[in-house]
Amino acid sequence: MSPILVVGATGHVGSQIVAQLSDKGVPVRAMTRKPGAARLPAQVELVHGDLTLPETLEPALNGVDTLFLVWTAPPAAFPQFLERVARTARRIVYLSAPLKTPHPFFQQPNASRVVAEQIERSIEASGTEWTFLRPGIFACNAMQWWGQQFRAGDLVRWPFLDVPTAPIDPRDIAAIGVRTLCENGHAGAEYVLTGSEPLTHRDQISIIGSVLGRSLRIEEMTPDQARQELANIMPWGMTPPSVIAGVIEKLLSAWGAADGLPAFVSTTFNEITGSKPRTFHQWASDHAETFLA
Ligand SMILES: NC(=O)c1ccc[n+]([C@@H]2O[C@H](COP(=O)([O-])OP(=O)(O)OC[C@H]3O[C@@H](n4cnc5c(N)ncnc54)[C@H](OP(=O)(O)O)[C@@H]3O)[C@@H](O)[C@H]2O)c1
């Protein structure tokens, strides 16, 4: 059996796909630009590859039949990548977003949405069997959104505190991904995945506070304050300022559109697995240490 290739293997969802496939004894090939920094199970075949440098991809793509695809690289590199993938691969599972879900939260125009739509159209036209995973907001966004403020003290400032979403644990997205990679019967499926509980930002911050035993002050900031402050109170690494501004604008427009509306909650996880997705409290409890690290 040729290994399942995971592109995006070190990320939030890809690392869970790798871990869960490995737990099942399925051979996995994990692609990354930095094999030396990847912390993945020892039995995983770790392969260097950079999606923006096609000449680096052959060791990863050689003989691949099935792949899990996370695409956060520049879109210009996608057509050549897909053309090479489609020469050998039979099945692609692509981590997309709820692009077709008629809730205003998911329907605001933005650049990453355009990229995901183009990727989907190209995969559909490639002749390869495909499944699209369409998760809503990830529970682990909390780490990027609020970790720095939790580490700095007991004040957490955030916009749209009372807008509800139903965050999903990346482990649950991966559980569905692993089924679609390993089982037949998911070709052409588009799985919209959320957690099962609508929670406002205020709820989520409070849950993390209670898990950490912290008494917090939670303060609403206006969208304009968010435009000015979120670039500084979140870790962005080497992300260029223009990209940071775009991400902040994308979030503000989604939250603004959802203000006053109930959260969209999907039952797909339950229908596929027969069990409920993990709660946000579970995610927070399992990540309490890393939250403060
Ligand atoms: N966050 C949310 O709430 C949310 C909701 C719905 C959908 N999504 C979608 O989920 C996706 C992100 O998933 P994620 O959070 O699991 O990803 P992530 O944690 O941001 O990780 C990105 C992965 O892509 C790899 N990568 C990036 N550029 C690369 C390149 N040039 N060559 C090779 N590998 C590259 C990285 O690998 P190395 O750095 O190791 O090379 C890393 O494994 C996005 O498409 C986003 O639109 C997110």
Side-chain angles (χ1 to χ4, degrees), residues 76-94:
F78 187 73
Q80 195 173 353
F81 168 79
L82 181 64
E83 189 273 321
R84 171 60 189 83
V85 165
R87 267 190 258 150
T88 51
R90 188 177 48 89
R91 177 178 294 175
I92 299 178
V93 178
Y94 170 53

Side-chain angles (χ1 to χ4, degrees), residues 8 10-13 32-33 50-51 70 72 95-96 135-138 141:
T10 59
H12 298 113
V13 177
T32 170
R33 289 165 295 179
D50 186 329
L51 294 164
V70 179
T72 60
L95 181 69
S96 187
I137 283 289
F138 295 180
N141 291 344

Side-chain angles (χ1 to χ4, degrees), residues 144-179:
Q144 194 197 3
W145 291 351
W146 305 312
Q148 197 164 299
Q149 293 191 78
F150 268 87
R151 290 188 286 279
D154 289 329
L155 173 64
V156 180
R157 285 170 51 70
W158 201 247
F160 293 108
L161 278 175
D162 296 314
V163 167
T165 57
I168 180 157
D169 191 312
R171 294 173 292 188
D172 291 334
I173 304 170
I176 301 300
V178 164
R179 284 179 185 242

Side-chain angles (χ1 to χ4, degrees), residues 108-289:
Q108 301 314 301
N110 61 64
S112 59
R113 175 189 184 87
V114 172
V115 171
E117 285 169 342
Q118 283 167 350
I119 289 177
E120 288 187 7
R121 279 199 295 273
S122 303
I123 293 174
E124 284 165 351
S126 71
T128 309
E129 179 184 311
W130 55 264
T131 306
F132 298 151
L133 303 188
R134 303 190 178 282
I137 283 289
F138 295 180
C140 62
N141 291 344
M143 196 84 81
Q144 194 197 3
W145 291 351
W146 305 312
Q148 197 164 299
Q149 293 191 78
F150 268 87
R151 290 188 286 279
D154 289 329
L155 173 64
V156 180
R157 285 170 51 70
W158 201 247
F160 293 108
L161 278 175
D162 296 314
V163 167
T165 57
I168 180 157
D169 191 312
R171 294 173 292 188
D172 291 334
I173 304 170
I176 301 300
V178 164
R179 284 179 185 242
T180 58
L181 289 164
C182 298
E183 296 172 355
N184 292 324
H186 301 283
E190 305 177 33
Y191 292 133
V192 178
L193 302 166
T194 70
S196 61
E197 28 163 30
L199 294 171
T200 65
H201 294 140
R202 192 189 301 279
D203 295 332
Q204 294 171 52
I205 295 165
S206 302
I207 288 169
I208 299 167
S210 81
V211 164
L212 297 176
R214 297 272 291 277
S215 150
L216 298 171
R217 280 186 302 133
I218 305 174
E219 256 180 38
E220 175 113 16
M221 58 168 80
T222 66
D224 275 343
Q225 287 169 333
R227 285 183 183 94
Q228 287 168 14
E229 292 180 39
L230 294 192
N232 299 321
I233 61 172
M234 286 158 66
W236 294 95
M238 304 296 284
T239 312
S242 61
V243 175
I244 295 174
V247 173
I248 292 171
E249 217 45 65
K250 171 179 144 178
L251 291 170
L252 291 173
S253 77
W255 293 329
D259 201 5
L261 298 176
F264 178 84
V265 179
S266 134
T267 52
T268 309
F269 182 89
N270 201 310
E271 285 153 18
I272 295 175
T273 66
S275 56
K276 287 182 89 172
R278 291 174 175 83
T279 61
F280 187 78
H281 188 279
Q282 181 72 58
W283 178 86
S285 302
D286 292 344
H287 295 84
E289 269 179 38

